[in-house]
Amino acid sequence: MEKSTILNEILEFNHQFVEKHEYEKYETTKFPNKKMVILTCMDTRLLELLPKALNLGNGDAKIVKNAGAIVSHPYGSIMRSILIALYQLKAQEVLVIAHHDCGMSGMKAEPVIENMKERGVSEETFNILTYSGIDIKQWLHGFDNVTESVENSVSIIKNHPLMPKDVPVHGLVIDPKTGKLDLVVDGYKN
Ligand code: ZN
């Protein structure tokens, strides 16, 4: 799709969508019917597949997404979203769902940095970041093993000082083709 048409097509479609009252079949509340918050990956293959494979409809769950379904910082916006879901939005369980064949799996920082340089980010900018104590390679790094990554994110959530103690935190890996779930951490047992 051409760059200049994406936004226009969305706005055109949106006008019709609202006009025809197509939103009516999605009406629900901000509180998740199934009382759960899910952290998963932004992968395009999971957009519809993941909710279908988990039998989730509109209104059923809070879904937080990022690249890799990774909690990389205990006081970043992912952890804040999970805590808000639990304390303010009536979620009672957490599911971390990463997936096989993830773009963050085995991702190395170097090619991304090279790409940034090709797109006009100067060497000086990287130097400034380094002097400011920002380890850009570490920051861009994905994970080497999806199971370990899920276990690590579950552990950060479960052991967070602001977490309610009675909330189960589950860890799973989904197949982006079949939707099959593999259980990594059973939150009822931990
Ligand atoms: Zn992914």
Side-chain angles (χ1 to χ4, degrees):
M1 201 179 285
E2 243 182 274
K3 225 184 223 172
S4 59
T5 65
I6 292 176
L7 178 62
N8 292 335
E9 281 187 18
I10 286 176
L11 291 174
E12 233 166 77
F13 177 89
N14 180 257
H15 185 76
Q16 298 294 322
F17 182 88
V18 176
E19 192 105 300
K20 293 179 191 158
H21 293 239
E22 284 185 44
Y23 55 84
E24 283 172 356
K25 58 177 175 281
Y26 301 105
E27 275 172 352
T28 179
T29 75
K30 64 181 174 180
F31 301 109
N33 300 326
K34 295 192 176 173
K35 303 199 184 307
M36 65 177 97
V37 52
I38 296 170
L39 168 61
T40 189
C41 182
M42 66 183 191
D43 194 289
T44 49
R45 292 166 293 180
L46 303 181
L47 182 68
E48 288 190 57
L49 178 71
L50 183 134
K52 296 277 188 236
L54 275 69
N55 192 27
L56 299 174
N58 207 41
D60 279 347
K62 291 282 168 192
I63 302 190
V64 184
K65 292 191 170 194
N66 71 6
I70 303 169
V71 183
S72 47
H73 196 293
Y75 293 94
S77 59
I78 294 292
M79 195 61 223
R80 180 176 59 214
S81 302
I82 291 170
L83 290 170
I84 296 296
L86 293 168
Y87 282 110
Q88 294 297 106
L89 299 162
K90 302 182 183 176
Q92 295 175 351
E93 308 204 9
V94 183
L95 289 89
V96 177
I97 309 179
H99 66 100
H100 297 295
D101 191 34
C102 183
M104 292 300 275
S105 175
M107 201 187 80
K108 300 278 176 281
E110 286 80 5
V112 185
I113 291 170
E114 274 319 301
N115 204 348
M116 288 170 172
K117 286 178 182 169
E118 279 164 27
R119 298 283 292 271
V121 181
S122 69
E123 195 70 50
E124 198 195 351
T125 301
F126 287 100
N127 291 337
I128 291 168
L129 290 173
T130 304
Y131 293 138
S132 311
I134 293 165
D135 186 343
I136 197 79
K137 282 188 187 164
Q138 179 60 32
W139 185 68
L140 285 170
H141 181 69
F143 51 78
D144 300 317
N145 178 304
V146 70
T147 307
E148 280 172 22
S149 176
V150 167
E151 285 170 344
N152 189 47
S153 291
V154 166
S155 166
I156 291 173
I157 298 167
K158 187 72 194 170
N159 298 310
H160 197 281
L162 299 176
M163 268 295 278
K165 293 289 166 246
D166 57 346
V167 171
V169 183
H170 312 289
L172 302 108
V173 179
I174 192 168
D175 184 317
K177 184 179 168 69
T178 65
K180 182 182 184 296
L181 289 169
D182 291 322
L183 186 61
V184 176
V185 180
D186 180 343
Y188 299 131
K189 291 181 182 165
N190 291 57

mmCIF file of all heavy atoms in Angstrom, residues 28-38 50-63 85-86 89-95 97 167-168 170 181 188:
data_model
loop_
_atom_site.group_PDB
_atom_site.id
_atom_site.type_symbol
_atom_site.label_atom_id
_atom_site.label_comp_id
_atom_site.label_asym_id
_atom_site.label_seq_id
_atom_site.Cartn_x
_atom_site.Cartn_y
_atom_site.Cartn_z
ATOM 1 N N THR A 28 -19.371 -3.123 24.695
ATOM 2 C CA THR A 28 -19.036 -3.823 25.934
ATOM 3 C C THR A 28 -18.564 -2.771 26.935
ATOM 4 O O THR A 28 -18.769 -1.582 26.723
ATOM 5 C CB THR A 28 -17.964 -4.909 25.658
ATOM 6 O OG1 THR A 28 -17.632 -5.563 26.884
ATOM 7 C CG2 THR A 28 -16.687 -4.334 25.056
ATOM 8 N N THR A 29 -17.920 -3.192 28.040
ATOM 9 C CA THR A 29 -17.413 -2.219 29.009
ATOM 10 C C THR A 29 -15.893 -2.270 29.042
ATOM 11 O O THR A 29 -15.283 -3.105 28.373
ATOM 12 C CB THR A 29 -17.919 -2.536 30.427
ATOM 13 O OG1 THR A 29 -17.197 -3.673 30.927
ATOM 14 C CG2 THR A 29 -19.410 -2.814 30.437
ATOM 15 N N LYS A 30 -15.299 -1.399 29.848
ATOM 16 C CA LYS A 30 -13.839 -1.412 29.953
ATOM 17 C C LYS A 30 -13.341 -2.500 30.901
ATOM 18 O O LYS A 30 -12.151 -2.747 30.999
ATOM 19 C CB LYS A 30 -13.336 -0.045 30.417
ATOM 20 C CG LYS A 30 -13.795 0.344 31.813
ATOM 21 C CD LYS A 30 -13.281 1.723 32.181
ATOM 22 C CE LYS A 30 -13.869 2.169 33.514
ATOM 23 N NZ LYS A 30 -13.402 3.505 33.908
ATOM 24 N N PHE A 31 -14.257 -3.180 31.595
ATOM 25 C CA PHE A 31 -13.857 -4.245 32.512
ATOM 26 C C PHE A 31 -13.873 -5.599 31.797
ATOM 27 O O PHE A 31 -14.880 -5.956 31.179
ATOM 28 C CB PHE A 31 -14.799 -4.283 33.725
ATOM 29 C CG PHE A 31 -14.810 -3.001 34.486
ATOM 30 C CD1 PHE A 31 -15.921 -2.164 34.448
ATOM 31 C CD2 PHE A 31 -13.706 -2.606 35.230
ATOM 32 C CE1 PHE A 31 -15.927 -0.961 35.146
ATOM 33 C CE2 PHE A 31 -13.705 -1.402 35.930
ATOM 34 C CZ PHE A 31 -14.813 -0.580 35.879
ATOM 35 N N PRO A 32 -12.778 -6.354 31.876
ATOM 36 C CA PRO A 32 -12.709 -7.619 31.129
ATOM 37 C C PRO A 32 -13.677 -8.674 31.670
ATOM 38 O O PRO A 32 -13.612 -9.035 32.841
ATOM 39 C CB PRO A 32 -11.250 -8.063 31.311
ATOM 40 C CG PRO A 32 -10.776 -7.370 32.546
ATOM 41 C CD PRO A 32 -11.542 -6.089 32.639
ATOM 42 N N ASN A 33 -14.561 -9.185 30.814
ATOM 43 C CA ASN A 33 -15.545 -10.202 31.227
ATOM 44 C C ASN A 33 -14.869 -11.414 31.839
ATOM 45 O O ASN A 33 -15.377 -12.020 32.762
ATOM 46 C CB ASN A 33 -16.376 -10.663 30.026
ATOM 47 C CG ASN A 33 -17.144 -9.512 29.402
ATOM 48 O OD1 ASN A 33 -17.583 -8.608 30.091
ATOM 49 N ND2 ASN A 33 -17.279 -9.543 28.080
ATOM 50 N N LYS A 34 -13.730 -11.796 31.260
ATOM 51 C CA LYS A 34 -13.032 -13.004 31.728
ATOM 52 C C LYS A 34 -11.940 -12.678 32.742
ATOM 53 O O LYS A 34 -11.111 -13.533 33.060
ATOM 54 C CB LYS A 34 -12.515 -13.812 30.541
ATOM 55 C CG LYS A 34 -13.677 -14.345 29.691
ATOM 56 C CD LYS A 34 -13.264 -15.376 28.670
ATOM 57 C CE LYS A 34 -14.492 -15.908 27.943
ATOM 58 N NZ LYS A 34 -14.142 -16.804 26.821
ATOM 59 N N LYS A 35 -11.929 -11.460 33.228
ATOM 60 C CA LYS A 35 -11.078 -11.038 34.351
ATOM 61 C C LYS A 35 -9.608 -11.416 34.208
ATOM 62 O O LYS A 35 -8.992 -11.950 35.117
ATOM 63 C CB LYS A 35 -11.636 -11.599 35.673
ATOM 64 C CG LYS A 35 -13.099 -11.173 35.915
ATOM 65 C CD LYS A 35 -13.510 -11.312 37.331
ATOM 66 C CE LYS A 35 -14.975 -10.986 37.561
ATOM 67 N NZ LYS A 35 -15.396 -9.665 37.041
ATOM 68 N N MET A 36 -9.078 -11.139 33.032
ATOM 69 C CA MET A 36 -7.659 -11.437 32.831
ATOM 70 C C MET A 36 -6.961 -10.324 32.054
ATOM 71 O O MET A 36 -7.597 -9.575 31.315
ATOM 72 C CB MET A 36 -7.490 -12.759 32.071
ATOM 73 C CG MET A 36 -8.029 -12.719 30.660
ATOM 74 S SD MET A 36 -7.746 -14.242 29.765
ATOM 75 C CE MET A 36 -9.310 -15.066 29.981
ATOM 76 N N VAL A 37 -5.663 -10.241 32.284
ATOM 77 C CA VAL A 37 -4.833 -9.352 31.470
ATOM 78 C C VAL A 37 -3.766 -10.209 30.791
ATOM 79 O O VAL A 37 -3.146 -11.059 31.427
ATOM 80 C CB VAL A 37 -4.221 -8.180 32.298
ATOM 81 C CG1 VAL A 37 -3.504 -8.668 33.548
ATOM 82 C CG2 VAL A 37 -3.262 -7.346 31.442
ATOM 83 N N ILE A 38 -3.621 -10.006 29.485
ATOM 84 C CA ILE A 38 -2.676 -10.790 28.684
ATOM 85 C C ILE A 38 -1.572 -9.873 28.178
ATOM 86 O O ILE A 38 -1.854 -8.795 27.653
ATOM 87 C CB ILE A 38 -3.400 -11.424 27.466
ATOM 88 C CG1 ILE A 38 -4.456 -12.427 27.937
ATOM 89 C CG2 ILE A 38 -2.397 -12.095 26.522
ATOM 90 C CD1 ILE A 38 -5.371 -12.911 26.811
ATOM 91 N N LEU A 50 -4.810 -15.049 17.974
ATOM 92 C CA LEU A 50 -4.682 -15.257 19.426
ATOM 93 C C LEU A 50 -6.026 -15.186 20.152
ATOM 94 O O LEU A 50 -6.384 -16.115 20.877
ATOM 95 C CB LEU A 50 -3.667 -14.295 20.038
ATOM 96 C CG LEU A 50 -3.429 -14.496 21.532
ATOM 97 C CD1 LEU A 50 -1.950 -14.499 21.882
ATOM 98 C CD2 LEU A 50 -4.165 -13.470 22.379
ATOM 99 N N PRO A 51 -6.822 -14.144 19.934
ATOM 100 C CA PRO A 51 -8.134 -14.126 20.603
ATOM 101 C C PRO A 51 -9.010 -15.322 20.217
ATOM 102 O O PRO A 51 -9.665 -15.907 21.079
ATOM 103 C CB PRO A 51 -8.762 -12.811 20.142
ATOM 104 C CG PRO A 51 -7.634 -11.968 19.676
ATOM 105 C CD PRO A 51 -6.579 -12.908 19.178
ATOM 106 N N LYS A 52 -8.998 -15.704 18.935
ATOM 107 C CA LYS A 52 -9.823 -16.848 18.496
ATOM 108 C C LYS A 52 -9.357 -18.131 19.171
ATOM 109 O O LYS A 52 -10.170 -18.936 19.633
ATOM 110 C CB LYS A 52 -9.737 -17.029 16.968
ATOM 111 C CG LYS A 52 -10.298 -15.873 16.179
ATOM 112 C CD LYS A 52 -11.815 -15.970 16.032
ATOM 113 C CE LYS A 52 -12.329 -14.908 15.067
ATOM 114 N NZ LYS A 52 -13.357 -14.030 15.615
ATOM 115 N N ALA A 53 -8.030 -18.319 19.216
ATOM 116 C CA ALA A 53 -7.474 -19.554 19.775
ATOM 117 C C ALA A 53 -7.707 -19.657 21.281
ATOM 118 O O ALA A 53 -7.633 -20.734 21.861
ATOM 119 C CB ALA A 53 -5.985 -19.648 19.458
ATOM 120 N N LEU A 54 -7.968 -18.520 21.927
ATOM 121 C CA LEU A 54 -8.225 -18.515 23.371
ATOM 122 C C LEU A 54 -9.710 -18.317 23.688
ATOM 123 O O LEU A 54 -10.082 -18.160 24.839
ATOM 124 C CB LEU A 54 -7.423 -17.392 24.056
ATOM 125 C CG LEU A 54 -5.991 -17.709 24.453
ATOM 126 C CD1 LEU A 54 -5.091 -17.877 23.243
ATOM 127 C CD2 LEU A 54 -5.435 -16.623 25.367
ATOM 128 N N ASN A 55 -10.520 -18.301 22.633
ATOM 129 C CA ASN A 55 -11.960 -18.082 22.786
ATOM 130 C C ASN A 55 -12.281 -16.736 23.450
ATOM 131 O O ASN A 55 -13.097 -16.651 24.360
ATOM 132 C CB ASN A 55 -12.599 -19.236 23.575
ATOM 133 C CG ASN A 55 -14.120 -19.191 23.494
ATOM 134 O OD1 ASN A 55 -14.695 -18.675 22.527
ATOM 135 N ND2 ASN A 55 -14.794 -19.721 24.508
ATOM 136 N N LEU A 56 -11.605 -15.692 22.988
ATOM 137 C CA LEU A 56 -11.822 -14.362 23.528
ATOM 138 C C LEU A 56 -12.539 -13.478 22.518
ATOM 139 O O LEU A 56 -12.134 -13.398 21.360
ATOM 140 C CB LEU A 56 -10.486 -13.707 23.898
ATOM 141 C CG LEU A 56 -9.649 -14.408 24.966
ATOM 142 C CD1 LEU A 56 -8.304 -13.718 25.096
ATOM 143 C CD2 LEU A 56 -10.379 -14.441 26.297
ATOM 144 N N GLY A 57 -13.600 -12.847 22.955
ATOM 145 C CA GLY A 57 -14.292 -11.883 22.128
ATOM 146 C C GLY A 57 -14.047 -10.479 22.645
ATOM 147 O O GLY A 57 -13.361 -10.286 23.658
ATOM 148 N N ASN A 58 -14.609 -9.514 21.945
ATOM 149 C CA ASN A 58 -14.451 -8.127 22.384
ATOM 150 C C ASN A 58 -14.952 -7.996 23.824
ATOM 151 O O ASN A 58 -16.008 -8.497 24.173
ATOM 152 C CB ASN A 58 -15.252 -7.203 21.463
ATOM 153 C CG ASN A 58 -14.676 -5.821 21.410
ATOM 154 O OD1 ASN A 58 -13.451 -5.654 21.364
ATOM 155 N ND2 ASN A 58 -15.527 -4.806 21.423
ATOM 156 N N GLY A 59 -14.162 -7.325 24.654
ATOM 157 C CA GLY A 59 -14.586 -7.125 26.035
ATOM 158 C C GLY A 59 -14.131 -8.203 27.008
ATOM 159 O O GLY A 59 -14.311 -8.063 28.216
ATOM 160 N N ASP A 60 -13.544 -9.292 26.505
ATOM 161 C CA ASP A 60 -13.203 -10.415 27.389
ATOM 162 C C ASP A 60 -11.912 -10.236 28.175
ATOM 163 O O ASP A 60 -11.760 -10.779 29.258
ATOM 164 C CB ASP A 60 -13.114 -11.723 26.585
ATOM 165 C CG ASP A 60 -14.487 -12.330 26.338
ATOM 166 O OD1 ASP A 60 -15.453 -11.891 26.983
ATOM 167 O OD2 ASP A 60 -14.584 -13.242 25.491
ATOM 168 N N ALA A 61 -10.924 -9.524 27.609
ATOM 169 C CA ALA A 61 -9.608 -9.453 28.258
ATOM 170 C C ALA A 61 -8.943 -8.110 27.992
ATOM 171 O O ALA A 61 -9.217 -7.455 26.994
ATOM 172 C CB ALA A 61 -8.705 -10.573 27.732
ATOM 173 N N LYS A 62 -8.055 -7.748 28.915
ATOM 174 C CA LYS A 62 -7.145 -6.637 28.667
ATOM 175 C C LYS A 62 -5.947 -7.220 27.934
ATOM 176 O O LYS A 62 -5.393 -8.231 28.381
ATOM 177 C CB LYS A 62 -6.676 -6.031 29.993
ATOM 178 C CG LYS A 62 -7.773 -5.310 30.745
ATOM 179 C CD LYS A 62 -8.009 -3.952 30.113
ATOM 180 C CE LYS A 62 -9.285 -3.333 30.648
ATOM 181 N NZ LYS A 62 -9.697 -2.157 29.875
ATOM 182 N N ILE A 63 -5.559 -6.636 26.823
ATOM 183 C CA ILE A 63 -4.395 -7.154 26.100
ATOM 184 C C ILE A 63 -3.339 -6.060 25.943
ATOM 185 O O ILE A 63 -3.607 -5.001 25.390
ATOM 186 C CB ILE A 63 -4.783 -7.725 24.723
ATOM 187 C CG1 ILE A 63 -5.823 -8.850 24.899
ATOM 188 C CG2 ILE A 63 -3.540 -8.262 24.003
ATOM 189 C CD1 ILE A 63 -6.111 -9.657 23.646
ATOM 190 N N ALA A 85 -4.515 -2.880 35.235
ATOM 191 C CA ALA A 85 -5.550 -3.875 34.899
ATOM 192 C C ALA A 85 -5.991 -4.634 36.149
ATOM 193 O O ALA A 85 -7.176 -4.922 36.336
ATOM 194 C CB ALA A 85 -5.026 -4.841 33.836
ATOM 195 N N LEU A 86 -5.029 -4.953 37.007
ATOM 196 C CA LEU A 86 -5.338 -5.735 38.211
ATOM 197 C C LEU A 86 -6.014 -4.899 39.293
ATOM 198 O O LEU A 86 -6.958 -5.345 39.934
ATOM 199 C CB LEU A 86 -4.052 -6.341 38.783
ATOM 200 C CG LEU A 86 -3.380 -7.419 37.916
ATOM 201 C CD1 LEU A 86 -1.987 -7.732 38.443
ATOM 202 C CD2 LEU A 86 -4.235 -8.685 37.864
ATOM 203 N N LEU A 89 -9.119 -2.376 36.997
ATOM 204 C CA LEU A 89 -10.001 -2.843 35.933
ATOM 205 C C LEU A 89 -10.479 -4.276 36.134
ATOM 206 O O LEU A 89 -10.960 -4.922 35.212
ATOM 207 C CB LEU A 89 -9.297 -2.662 34.578
ATOM 208 C CG LEU A 89 -8.977 -1.179 34.290
ATOM 209 C CD1 LEU A 89 -7.931 -1.037 33.202
ATOM 210 C CD2 LEU A 89 -10.231 -0.408 33.902
ATOM 211 N N LYS A 90 -10.336 -4.757 37.362
ATOM 212 C CA LYS A 90 -10.944 -6.028 37.776
ATOM 213 C C LYS A 90 -10.343 -7.269 37.138
ATOM 214 O O LYS A 90 -10.966 -8.333 37.146
ATOM 215 C CB LYS A 90 -12.460 -6.006 37.561
ATOM 216 C CG LYS A 90 -13.147 -4.864 38.325
ATOM 217 C CD LYS A 90 -14.651 -4.899 38.126
ATOM 218 C CE LYS A 90 -15.318 -3.709 38.841
ATOM 219 N NZ LYS A 90 -16.756 -3.648 38.605
ATOM 220 N N ALA A 91 -9.151 -7.155 36.558
ATOM 221 C CA ALA A 91 -8.468 -8.381 36.104
ATOM 222 C C ALA A 91 -7.974 -9.114 37.346
ATOM 223 O O ALA A 91 -7.623 -8.496 38.350
ATOM 224 C CB ALA A 91 -7.301 -8.038 35.189
ATOM 225 N N GLN A 92 -7.980 -10.455 37.277
ATOM 226 C CA GLN A 92 -7.584 -11.255 38.444
ATOM 227 C C GLN A 92 -6.460 -12.248 38.137
ATOM 228 O O GLN A 92 -5.956 -12.900 39.039
ATOM 229 C CB GLN A 92 -8.804 -12.023 38.985
ATOM 230 C CG GLN A 92 -9.860 -11.083 39.532
ATOM 231 C CD GLN A 92 -11.139 -11.788 39.958
ATOM 232 O OE1 GLN A 92 -11.320 -12.973 39.689
ATOM 233 N NE2 GLN A 92 -12.028 -11.056 40.602
ATOM 234 N N GLU A 93 -6.133 -12.404 36.854
ATOM 235 C CA GLU A 93 -5.050 -13.309 36.476
ATOM 236 C C GLU A 93 -4.225 -12.659 35.362
ATOM 237 O O GLU A 93 -4.739 -11.838 34.604
ATOM 238 C CB GLU A 93 -5.591 -14.654 35.965
ATOM 239 C CG GLU A 93 -6.572 -15.290 36.931
ATOM 240 C CD GLU A 93 -6.681 -16.808 36.780
ATOM 241 O OE1 GLU A 93 -5.884 -17.402 36.044
ATOM 242 O OE2 GLU A 93 -7.584 -17.365 37.427
ATOM 243 N N VAL A 94 -2.967 -13.049 35.283
ATOM 244 C CA VAL A 94 -2.084 -12.523 34.235
ATOM 245 C C VAL A 94 -1.608 -13.680 33.362
ATOM 246 O O VAL A 94 -1.242 -14.743 33.879
ATOM 247 C CB VAL A 94 -0.851 -11.810 34.844
ATOM 248 C CG1 VAL A 94 0.025 -11.207 33.736
ATOM 249 C CG2 VAL A 94 -1.276 -10.731 35.837
ATOM 250 N N LEU A 95 -1.626 -13.485 32.042
ATOM 251 C CA LEU A 95 -1.071 -14.470 31.119
ATOM 252 C C LEU A 95 -0.016 -13.805 30.245
ATOM 253 O O LEU A 95 -0.306 -12.813 29.574
ATOM 254 C CB LEU A 95 -2.155 -15.056 30.203
ATOM 255 C CG LEU A 95 -3.179 -16.009 30.829
ATOM 256 C CD1 LEU A 95 -4.372 -15.221 31.363
ATOM 257 C CD2 LEU A 95 -3.671 -17.017 29.799
ATOM 258 N N ILE A 97 1.974 -14.426 27.005
ATOM 259 C CA ILE A 97 1.919 -15.352 25.867
ATOM 260 C C ILE A 97 2.881 -14.905 24.764
ATOM 261 O O ILE A 97 2.576 -14.016 23.967
ATOM 262 C CB ILE A 97 0.482 -15.469 25.301
ATOM 263 C CG1 ILE A 97 -0.521 -15.778 26.429
ATOM 264 C CG2 ILE A 97 0.443 -16.555 24.215
ATOM 265 C CD1 ILE A 97 -1.974 -15.874 25.949
ATOM 266 N N VAL A 167 -2.440 -13.132 42.953
ATOM 267 C CA VAL A 167 -2.734 -13.154 41.514
ATOM 268 C C VAL A 167 -1.885 -14.209 40.790
ATOM 269 O O VAL A 167 -0.660 -14.141 40.807
ATOM 270 C CB VAL A 167 -2.480 -11.761 40.882
ATOM 271 C CG1 VAL A 167 -2.566 -11.820 39.366
ATOM 272 C CG2 VAL A 167 -3.469 -10.747 41.426
ATOM 273 N N PRO A 168 -2.523 -15.197 40.148
ATOM 274 C CA PRO A 168 -1.761 -16.163 39.371
ATOM 275 C C PRO A 168 -1.159 -15.521 38.120
ATOM 276 O O PRO A 168 -1.834 -14.740 37.442
ATOM 277 C CB PRO A 168 -2.806 -17.214 38.956
ATOM 278 C CG PRO A 168 -4.022 -16.915 39.752
ATOM 279 C CD PRO A 168 -3.964 -15.469 40.113
ATOM 280 N N HIS A 170 0.542 -16.740 34.648
ATOM 281 C CA HIS A 170 0.809 -17.894 33.799
ATOM 282 C C HIS A 170 1.745 -17.504 32.655
ATOM 283 O O HIS A 170 1.740 -16.361 32.206
ATOM 284 C CB HIS A 170 -0.493 -18.420 33.180
ATOM 285 C CG HIS A 170 -1.608 -18.595 34.162
ATOM 286 N ND1 HIS A 170 -1.608 -19.581 35.122
ATOM 287 C CD2 HIS A 170 -2.755 -17.883 34.352
ATOM 288 C CE1 HIS A 170 -2.729 -19.488 35.841
ATOM 289 N NE2 HIS A 170 -3.431 -18.460 35.397
ATOM 290 N N LEU A 181 -1.346 -23.688 22.090
ATOM 291 C CA LEU A 181 -0.663 -23.129 23.255
ATOM 292 C C LEU A 181 0.177 -24.193 23.951
ATOM 293 O O LEU A 181 -0.290 -25.313 24.163
ATOM 294 C CB LEU A 181 -1.690 -22.602 24.265
ATOM 295 C CG LEU A 181 -2.460 -21.333 23.903
ATOM 296 C CD1 LEU A 181 -3.610 -21.130 24.885
ATOM 297 C CD2 LEU A 181 -1.547 -20.114 23.899
ATOM 298 N N TYR A 188 -1.093 -21.322 38.863
ATOM 299 C CA TYR A 188 -1.811 -21.840 40.036
ATOM 300 C C TYR A 188 -0.879 -22.632 40.937
ATOM 301 O O TYR A 188 -1.182 -22.884 42.078
ATOM 302 C CB TYR A 188 -2.977 -22.737 39.606
ATOM 303 C CG TYR A 188 -4.005 -22.035 38.764
ATOM 304 C CD1 TYR A 188 -4.454 -22.588 37.580
ATOM 305 C CD2 TYR A 188 -4.521 -20.799 39.175
ATOM 306 C CE1 TYR A 188 -5.403 -21.940 36.794
ATOM 307 C CE2 TYR A 188 -5.469 -20.142 38.392
ATOM 308 C CZ TYR A 188 -5.898 -20.715 37.209
ATOM 309 O OH TYR A 188 -6.812 -20.070 36.447
#
